[in-house]
Amino acid sequence: MKKIAVLSDIHGNYIAFQKCLEYVLGMGIRAFIFLGDYLGEFPYPQKTMEILYSLKEKYTCFFLQGNKEDYWISRKYDKNCVWKNGNSTVGAMKYCYKNLTDKDIGFFESLPLCREITFDGAGSILACHGSPDKNNEKMFPDGENTKGIMERCAGQYILCGHTHVQGSFSHKGKILLNPGLVGASLYSGGKAQFMILYQKGEEWGHQFISLDYDKKKVIKEMEESGLWDAAPYWCRVTKYGMLAGEISHGTVLSRAMELCREETGKCDWYNIPEIYWEEAVQELLGC
């Protein structure tokens, strides 16, 4: 029986990533689909890249480009990049970018936004990060945009990530599958999540997996790596998400921007004063 591991949104959490790989390789699976957002919120990004390069050399791997990869590519070529100065919003991005090599950026640039994947004897799979049209578009179950996209797609099976929420959705004979987020999915109790596809004749079945991992080690590394100092409130949200898996960075970011606008009349996402981050984190997370 053909089995494929589908992983998305690692976000640089190499410790959670390693836990997922132990499970996958222990099952004898040697084929992978990666749906993008390889780095982002977690320390020591090169450790994640080394794992990816090793898998690429040893096994059958299909890689997609996520919206996070856009940040690193754009930062390389945009000399007037808006997130140069840094605060909690962009501090984690700056930390990550400083650790990237030309090889890493070249790898990200080589990745497609969407690709059709076929295996002998089974239905084709359309894989993307956000949607087949945009890597930052969210395909939530039952969303009108989701339905329209599914109706336009020729294949029966569509894989996407980006929302960080594991699940499936069927519409007019098409099946949308989201493996969740390796780094710590929403509504998962802070567990690392991914998915296994398995061939059933000409069709694909799926199994969602959720795993615990060493969160204490991750938090310790966030603090000792300098990442916490670079983006203190962003890291607080990351920590909360790992432990609880309930509130996203985007939710806290939006509230911080609202607070900033209420007091100053304007706000740019990349330049939110720390005082508003502090207020939003205290209000939403209580920490």
Side-chain angles (χ1 to χ4, degrees):
M1 181 187 296
K2 186 70 176 179
K3 292 185 178 180
I4 308 165
V6 183
L7 301 95
S8 187
D9 298 271
I10 300 165
H11 285 244
N13 191 341
Y14 78 92
I15 293 173
F17 188 20
Q18 286 177 324
K19 189 70 174 181
C20 297
L21 290 177
E22 288 173 10
Y23 184 99
V24 169
L25 295 174
M27 292 187 65
I29 296 173
R30 300 295 186 266
F32 297 84
I33 299 174
F34 293 98
L35 301 181
D37 275 16
Y38 305 98
L39 307 175
E41 276 67 54
F42 292 91
Y44 306 128
Q46 275 306 316
K47 294 189 177 184
T48 295
M49 297 309 300
E50 288 168 5
I51 296 171
L52 290 171
Y53 293 143
S54 177
L55 293 171
K56 184 172 181 286
E57 289 294 320
K58 295 178 180 178
Y59 308 119
T60 300
C61 295
F62 301 90
F63 296 94
L64 282 299
Q65 187 187 100
N67 62 296
K68 288 287 188 181
E69 284 70 66
D70 275 350
Y71 291 140
W72 322 132
I73 295 168
S74 297
R75 177 65 183 83
K76 178 179 179 179
Y77 295 106
D78 183 1
K79 302 304 180 183
N80 299 309
C81 177
V82 295
W83 49 273
K84 279 186 177 180
N85 294 329
N87 48 42
S88 274
T89 316
V90 299
M93 295 165 64
K94 286 182 62 180
Y95 168 90
C96 184
Y97 183 78
K98 286 194 299 183
N99 284 277
L100 297 181
T101 66
D102 288 340
K103 177 184 177 180
D104 301 329
I105 300 296
F107 172 68
F108 296 147
E109 287 182 291
S110 73
L111 305 181
L113 297 180
C114 177
R115 70 182 298 171
E116 184 178 8
I117 301 170
T118 59
F119 292 90
D120 290 342
S124 66
I125 299 166
L126 186 67
C128 59
H129 177 70
S131 78
D133 304 316
K134 301 177 184 177
N135 59 16
N136 64 352
E137 182 176 11
K138 294 182 177 180
M139 293 179 66
F140 285 112
D142 212 27
E144 288 305 314
N145 69 312
T146 302
K147 294 177 182 178
I149 292 168
M150 293 176 74
E151 289 169 11
R152 294 198 307 272
C153 291
Q156 183 181 0
Y157 303 95
I158 305 167
L159 308 181
C160 71
H162 192 47
T163 66
H164 302 176
V165 182
Q166 190 180 71
S168 64
F169 175 63
S170 298
H171 177 67
K172 292 189 176 181
K174 309 288 181 65
I175 301 171
L176 178 72
L177 297 166
N178 190 316
L181 178 144
V182 171
S185 293
L186 290 174
Y187 318 121
S188 71
K191 294 182 179 181
Q193 295 190 322
F194 63 99
M195 177 178 67
I196 295 172
L197 290 178
Y198 55 91
Q199 189 174 346
K200 302 190 303 180
E202 296 182 356
E203 298 184 346
W204 291 101
H206 65 275
Q207 179 185 9
F208 292 127
I209 308 294
S210 298
L211 300 175
D212 283 316
Y213 61 97
D214 191 347
K215 300 180 183 68
K216 289 183 179 179
K217 182 178 180 181
V218 178
I219 294 167
K220 180 181 178 183
E221 291 193 352
M222 287 170 64
E223 295 169 347
E224 69 183 17
S225 65
L227 175 58
W228 198 284
D229 293 332
Y233 294 106
W234 192 266
C235 285
R236 282 175 170 81
V237 182
T238 302
K239 178 180 176 180
Y240 183 91
M242 278 196 299
L243 298 177
E246 296 173 355
I247 298 178
S248 70
H249 288 88
T251 298
V252 183
L253 171 64
S254 295
R255 182 54 181 153
M257 292 183 69
E258 287 177 2
L259 292 167
C260 182
R261 289 195 194 98
E262 289 170 4
E263 188 161 319
T264 68
K266 61 180 182 179
C267 187
D268 297 314
W269 70 268
Y270 53 85
N271 194 28
I272 304 171
E274 294 292 85
I275 185 173
Y276 303 115
W277 265 106
E278 182 180 10
E279 276 189 64
V281 167
Q282 181 61 42
E283 176 186 318
L284 296 177
L285 309 185
C287 61

